[in-house]
Amino acid sequence: MAQYDAIIIGAGMSGLAAGIRLAMYDKKVVVLERHYVWGGLNSFYQFKGHQFDVGLHALTNYAARGARGLPLSRLLKQLRIRWDDLDLHQQGFSAVSFPGVKLKFSNEFELLRSEVARAFPQQADGFDALTRAVREFNELDLEAPQQDARPVVRRFINDPLLEDMIFCPLMYYGSAREHDMDWDQFVVMFKSIFFEGFSRPQQGVRHILKLLIDRFRKAGGELRLKTGVRRILTDGNRATGVELDNGETLTAETVLSSAGLVETERMRGQEPGAQATGKLSFTETISVLDQPAKHVGIEETIVFFSNTARFNYAQPADDVDTSSGVICMPGNFDLPSTPRDHLVRITNIANYDRWAALGSAGFQPASGAGLRPAPQAADETSAAHAGATPALPYYTAKQHWYERSCADAISHIADFRPHVTLVDMFTPRTIRHYTGHEGGAVYGSPKKLRTGATGIEGLYIIGTDQGFLGIIGAALSGISMANRWVLQRDTSAVEAT
Ligand SMILES: Cc1cc2nc3c(=O)[nH]c(=O)nc-3n(C[C@H](O)[C@H](O)[C@H](O)COP(=O)(O)OP(=O)(O)OC[C@H]3O[C@@H](n4cnc5c(N)ncnc54)[C@H](O)[C@@H]3O)c2cc1C
């Protein structure tokens, strides 16, 4: 029976980062991943000769070379990765677009500040005060009492339109809760998106994952793909190891799980509470254009939009809510060379249960044919659409929602539909299939374990359900939990994150 210092469940960002940290300190560590590829929610695949990222729109938390004390700088220091190795290129500018008003922002916070003062002059002082409150709040205090963000924000902002325009990007990029966020999560997301900003490597998420995998292997860590964990083994109140899908048993002093809170509880034979499963899942459509998005008239890097003045961040009653979304043009980062594929990616909130119930067992169309580009005439927008869509077979539903998603997005960017040459789309069902997240819940459970402690000695939650999301957040979660629960227990020579 193999014995380890630490077993890590999941080779996503948090699992890999925790693995590197432990291997660097000569711990015998194995990362177990059920899927045949690493990356978790942030992975990649090849489709009809094109390379697509699953997750990455943008790396949040941009930090310039040499910057100190920022999340990205801390991450690089802890994993001994050089800033230049990340190959980061900043966004041009992005926008939050609501009916009749658009706020631009970039990695220079001053742009957003001036845009708020221009579009909402009555709110300018309040926005500055909110900004100060965000800056002064220590989101790394894991023991801080939880409070809702909206009442705090309303102390500073009394225009509901501006309030929702601020919440829209923060929720889309990191809220497991419907309608509101925890204040500490609001602060994390505000800093990572508005203060620090977006960047991306030319080669996308593959590049980041290759850096992490190389670092992990070089430090002596072991990665086992196609190796799912069926059960977490305990002796009384102590975790002792795991049982794999193939029946093999591995033992360890510590088990770090990035599978999610609900999923980890199930592996312990516990039935999670009804409210524990996250409700927020997404569809994402990927359109390949015949020319760069800028040539079609789209200048923004990312657009967060709502077609209604009140932004509704909640599980939709229908398959997808296309009335709000995120539109990402990966080619509109300041990249050193024009990417091979010119992409427009649109993310919308979707209902996992409805997608799970649609007919068709497989994940590929039987004919091998993919989705078709959306005809320009199909510009039936969400405002014009009433009532839930009747249940359609899976691939018909994908075609229907692809067209609706594009039609609603073009209220905010130039109409790219005549230039689409190839289409792909993933749904909540895809997310569930490839990451095991119940309900296809991208941001996990609304209940977060901020200290990682599960109540079982030696078993800790890392990543999404520790409460730190996104690529940088999840990786920092893996690092800080590995430090706190393994390395700091054994040595005082570990730098704090
Ligand atoms: C469409 C989409 C777009 C996104 N865009 C961005 C973006 O632009 N920028 C950004 O920063 N973040 C983005 N994210 C979010 C980001 O991808 C996640 O927050 C982050 O990757 C979470 O990492 P994690 O390690 O916590 O969990 P995960 O990535 O979920 O990793 C968990 C891993 O555990 C494995 N696993 C689960 N159960 C078991 C088991 N029983 N046995 C073995 N293995 C198991 C899973 O297969 C998975 O690989 C996006 C996510 C999605 C889905």
Side-chain angles (χ1 to χ4, degrees), residues 21-192:
R21 201 64 197 146
L22 296 179
M24 272 167 57
Y25 282 85
D26 296 327
K27 297 293 170 196
K28 188 170 182 215
V29 55
V30 63
V31 175
L32 306 171
E33 171 55 55
R34 184 171 266 142
H35 194 22
Y36 58 81
V37 69
W38 52 87
L41 285 171
N42 255 119
S43 201
F44 52 87
Y45 63 105
Q46 199 160 333
F47 180 69
K48 301 194 176 192
H50 299 262
Q51 313 271 4
F52 291 148
D53 286 348
V54 181
L56 184 77
H57 284 177
L59 209 61
T60 54
N61 301 91
Y62 178 73
R65 186 198 282 110
R68 289 165 160 266
L70 293 174
L72 179 65
S73 337
R74 291 204 302 271
L75 185 152
L76 295 176
K77 183 174 168 208
Q78 290 275 317
L79 300 185
R80 312 269 193 278
I81 293 174
R82 293 180 323 137
W83 187 92
D84 286 327
D85 291 340
L86 270 184
D87 185 36
L88 293 183
H89 307 286
Q90 299 188 59
Q91 64 174 323
F93 72 94
S94 294
V96 188
S97 183
F98 275 47
V101 52
K102 201 175 215 181
L103 298 174
K104 291 183 188 173
F105 67 97
S106 69
N107 292 1
E108 299 298 327
F109 183 67
E110 196 48 38
L111 175 61
L112 177 62
R113 195 169 163 263
S114 64
E115 285 280 282
V116 170
R118 172 190 58 77
F120 297 93
Q122 308 294 327
Q123 303 293 316
D125 291 344
F127 185 71
D128 283 347
L130 172 65
T131 301
R132 278 194 298 279
V134 167
R135 224 179 266 287
E136 283 160 15
F137 185 83
N138 176 14
E139 69 280 11
L140 298 179
D141 175 4
L142 300 183
E143 321 286 345
Q146 190 262 322
Q147 55 181 327
D148 292 343
R150 284 205 187 256
V152 181
V153 172
R154 283 176 192 153
R155 278 188 229 144
F156 306 103
I157 303 287
N158 59 21
D159 185 324
L161 177 59
L162 178 59
E163 177 187 320
D164 275 359
M165 291 185 82
I166 295 169
F167 269 93
C168 175
L170 312 192
M171 287 179 141
Y172 255 110
Y173 271 9
S175 178
R177 284 179 59 185
E178 296 177 291
H179 308 298
D180 201 352
M181 304 173 79
D182 296 347
W183 169 246
D184 52 13
Q185 185 62 15
F186 177 94
V187 170
V188 167
M189 298 311 299
F190 193 102
K191 288 181 178 175
S192 67

Side-chain angles (χ1 to χ4, degrees), residues 8-16 32-35 37-43 54-61 172-173 198 200 224 227-231 244-245 257-260 263 267 282-284 302 328 345 347 426 431 433-437 440-443 462-465 468-475 477:
I8 297 174
I9 304 175
M13 293 294 165
S14 61
L16 290 174
L32 306 171
E33 171 55 55
R34 184 171 266 142
H35 194 22
V37 69
W38 52 87
L41 285 171
N42 255 119
S43 201
V54 181
L56 184 77
H57 284 177
L59 209 61
T60 54
N61 301 91
Y172 255 110
Y173 271 9
F198 299 146
R200 144 183 197 104
R224 289 178 65 175
T227 308
V229 172
R230 182 160 67 196
R231 221 152 55 89
L244 304 181
D245 290 342
S257 174
S258 71
E263 297 79 357
M267 282 188 268
F282 301 93
T283 51
E284 181 154 297
I302 299 178
C328 175
R345 297 171 51 167
T347 309
F426 64 82
I431 294 169
H433 182 73
Y434 285 110
T435 68
H437 282 295
V442 169
Y443 298 131
I462 61 172
T464 305
D465 279 345
F468 290 92
L469 303 162
I471 296 169
I472 302 294
S477 161

